[in-house]
């Protein structure tokens, strides 16, 4: 289930990023390594997958499984025995990747010391490729510079494309730019070069073709399997939230319980800001490569909001039925799982299921929006006059 696995990894990295704003976290569980914090300069020695999140990250060592990294300033010196996933403002890859490399960033570069044994998928504003790639390459950005040997096929979409002295492409080069460029013979001969004029409308047409091929009425077996997978996913997500951010989760849940109307209004504001990122990012032209990241952010926050809303309502009902005020993490997780199951069953009721799900999203999004606003603006205190005394009416 590659799609489910990718979504889980992305949402988990979002959780780590949230924790990283306040405290450092280091955990080894089941062979996997989890790291988050403001500044991380650590050598990895993970026998399984590794998850790293922070503002500034410099990683060394080895990850025997997949390596997932997210942050603002990322330098990856670690060798990855399987796949490498990286998202950040500035991303530099210097380690060796034994399988595939997937990375996105405003400034993205693979160092000459790096080597990707599988395929590379890169998205960014400025992409500089200096590390050899033994598989294929797919890159999309404003400015793309290729200065490394690539064994497989290459597909590049860019505003400007250039080739350095070390660039050699053994496969077929397909590039999309506004105007045709002259590709040096040493990079790839003319019979292995395909030019496709860049047209932003093509992306929408391709999406429409994919959408039409999607099944409209899934079988009962597919629906049941999807239900089980979704339930397991949310249970794991709930366990992670209760483990890594219990106090912050409790504060957000309390804000929903105290003022549900306020949470719904703030949820509408939060969703408006999220969905507004897509056209605003696209209108800047420079931000076109980051439109997929904006869409991913919508999916991440929508999922987190849904889970938070369900958890908040479940705990409110649990307390109303006479449950303890401060139950343990296991009880909280069981209550959350029961709520997710009940809400999922409501989906089979036309209209009612949609209203219930959307309300949960608004409640959860409102709690997160409120928490973000408070962290940015701070908590207002008693108003003081010039003599530093409380002002009386």
């Amino acid at each position: 289930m590659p799609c489910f696995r990718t979504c889980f990894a992305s949402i988990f990295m979002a959780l780590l990023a949230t924790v990283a704003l306040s405290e450092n976290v280091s955990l080894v569980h089941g062979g996997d390594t989890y790291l988050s914090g403001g500044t991380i300069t650590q050598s990895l020695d993970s026998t399984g997958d590794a998850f790293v999140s922070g503002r500034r990250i410099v990683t060394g060592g080895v990850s025997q499984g997949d390596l997932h990294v997210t942050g603002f300033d990322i330098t990856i010196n670690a060798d990855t025995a399987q796949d490498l996933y990286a998202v950040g403002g500035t991303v530099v890859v210097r380690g060796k990747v034994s399988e595939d490399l997937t990375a996105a960033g405003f400034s993205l570069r693979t160092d000459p010391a790096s080597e990707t044994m599988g395929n590379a998928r890169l998205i960014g504003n400025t992409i500089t490729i200096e590390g050899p790639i033994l598989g294929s390459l797919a890159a999309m950005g404003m400015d793309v510079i290729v200065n490394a040997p690539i064994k497989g096929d290459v597909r590049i979409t860019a505003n400007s494309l250039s080739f350095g002295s070390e660039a050699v492409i053994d496969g077929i080069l397909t590039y999309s730019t506004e105007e045709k460029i002259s590709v040096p013979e040493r990079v790839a001969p003319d019979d292995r070069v395909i030019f496709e004029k860049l047209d932003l409308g093509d992306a929408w047409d391709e999406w429409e073709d994919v959408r039409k091929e999607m099944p409209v009425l899934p079988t009962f077996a597919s629906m049941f399997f999807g239900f089980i997978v979704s339930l397991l996913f949310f249970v794991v997500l709930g366990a992670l939230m209760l483990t890594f951010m219990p106090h912050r989760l409790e504060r957000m849940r309390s804000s929903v319980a105290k003022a549900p109307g306020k949470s719904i209004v703030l949820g509408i504001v939060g969703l408006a800001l999220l969905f507004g990122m897509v056209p605003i990012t696209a209108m800047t032209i420079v931000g076109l490569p980051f439109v997929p990241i904006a869409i991913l952010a919508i999916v991440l926050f929508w999922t987190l909001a849904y889970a938070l809303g369900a958890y908040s309502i479940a705990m409110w009902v649990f307390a109303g039925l006479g449950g303890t005020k401060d139950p343990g993490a296991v009880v909280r997780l069981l209550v959350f799982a029961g709520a997710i199951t009940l809400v999922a069953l409501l989906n089979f009721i036309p209209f009612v299921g949609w209203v219930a799900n959307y309300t949960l999203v608004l409640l959860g999004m409102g709690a997160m929006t409120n928490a973000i606003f408070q962290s940015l603006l701070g908590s207002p205190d008693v108003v003081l006059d010039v003599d530093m005394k409380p002002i009386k009416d």
Side-chain angles (χ1 to χ4, degrees):
M1 297 178 293
C3 181
F4 171 73
R5 188 172 185 273
T6 301
C7 291
F8 172 76
S10 300
I11 292 176
F12 184 78
M13 295 307 292
L15 285 173
L16 282 182
T18 303
V19 178
L21 295 176
S22 57
E23 57 183 339
N24 290 341
V25 174
S26 178
L27 174 67
V28 177
H29 177 70
D32 296 336
T33 300
Y34 305 92
L35 299 172
S36 72
T39 299
I40 298 177
T41 55
Q42 187 165 337
S43 180
L44 298 175
D45 186 16
S46 175
T47 57
D49 297 339
F51 300 83
V52 186
S53 177
R55 290 187 292 274
R56 179 177 179 271
I57 300 172
V58 180
T59 64
V62 178
S63 174
Q64 297 297 337
D66 296 336
L67 174 58
H68 307 258
V69 186
T70 180
F72 292 103
D73 185 5
I74 300 174
T75 301
I76 303 173
N77 298 319
D79 293 335
T80 308
Q82 295 185 20
D83 296 330
L84 169 60
Y85 303 90
V87 178
T90 301
V91 179
V92 179
V93 179
R94 291 176 178 161
K96 294 182 179 180
V97 182
S98 297
E99 294 186 8
D100 296 337
L101 165 64
T102 304
F106 188 81
S107 175
L108 176 59
R109 183 170 73 91
T110 63
D111 193 81
S114 70
E115 184 178 32
T116 302
M117 307 297 289
N119 299 332
R121 314 170 189 99
L122 310 176
I123 299 177
N125 182 68
T126 302
I127 301 175
T128 304
I129 303 163
E130 295 182 311
I133 299 173
L134 301 187
S136 64
L137 166 67
M140 183 173 73
M142 285 296 294
D143 303 302
V144 178
I145 303 170
V146 179
N147 189 30
I150 302 172
K151 293 293 183 181
D153 296 335
V154 175
R155 176 176 287 273
I156 297 175
T157 301
N159 184 56
S160 68
L161 172 62
S162 59
F163 300 94
S165 59
E166 301 297 323
V168 177
I169 299 174
D170 293 342
I172 298 174
L173 168 62
T174 303
Y175 71 96
S176 298
T177 55
E178 293 184 347
E179 301 294 337
K180 188 175 182 179
I181 66 173
S182 176
V183 178
E185 184 74 16
R186 59 177 175 78
V187 175
D190 292 340
D191 60 345
R192 287 196 282 111
V193 176
I194 301 174
F195 168 67
E196 297 177 353
K197 186 174 178 59
L198 180 61
D199 185 355
L200 297 179
D202 292 343
W204 178 257
D205 294 337
E206 290 178 2
W207 162 248
E208 283 295 307
D209 293 338
V210 172
R211 183 186 63 81
K212 292 177 181 178
E213 295 175 0
M214 293 181 179
V216 178
L217 297 174
T219 63
F220 174 79
S222 298
M223 294 174 62
F224 181 75
F225 179 74
F227 169 76
I228 296 299
V229 170
S230 298
L231 177 61
L232 291 175
F233 168 76
F234 278 107
V235 169
V236 173
L237 177 60
L240 291 172
M241 295 173 70
L242 288 170
T243 301
F244 287 98
M245 47 186 298
H247 302 299
R248 180 170 298 182
L249 179 62
E250 181 61 23
R251 288 196 297 270
M252 290 190 290
R253 184 201 66 79
S254 298
S255 69
V256 174
K258 292 178 181 177
K262 176 183 176 182
S263 293
I264 290 178
V265 173
L266 287 176
I268 296 173
V269 173
L271 284 180
L273 293 173
L274 277 175
F275 280 93
M277 286 195 308
V278 177
I280 295 301
T281 302
M283 288 171 62
T284 61
I285 305 300
V286 176
L288 278 174
F290 293 94
V291 169
I293 298 177
I295 296 175
L296 176 61
I298 293 174
V299 175
L300 291 177
F301 280 96
W302 184 285
T303 305
L304 291 173
Y306 176 80
L308 178 57
Y311 173 73
S312 300
I313 295 298
M315 293 304 299
W316 178 75
V317 173
F318 177 75
L321 294 176
T324 59
K325 293 184 178 180
D326 188 20
V330 175
V331 175
R332 291 175 184 269
L333 188 60
L334 291 175
V335 172
F336 173 65
I340 289 295
T341 303
L342 178 60
V343 175
L345 293 176
L346 289 177
N347 289 328
F348 293 97
I349 304 177
F351 185 72
V352 175
W354 178 85
V355 172
N357 281 274
Y358 187 55
T359 302
L360 292 179
V361 171
L362 289 180
L363 288 171
M365 185 64 69
M368 291 192 295
T369 303
N370 182 54
I372 293 173
F373 283 174
Q374 285 188 353
S375 65
L376 293 176
L377 302 178
S379 300
D381 207 339
V382 180
V383 179
L384 304 176
D385 63 9
V386 292
D387 294 325
M388 300 302 291
K389 297 179 180 179
I391 297 176
K392 298 180 180 180
D393 295 332

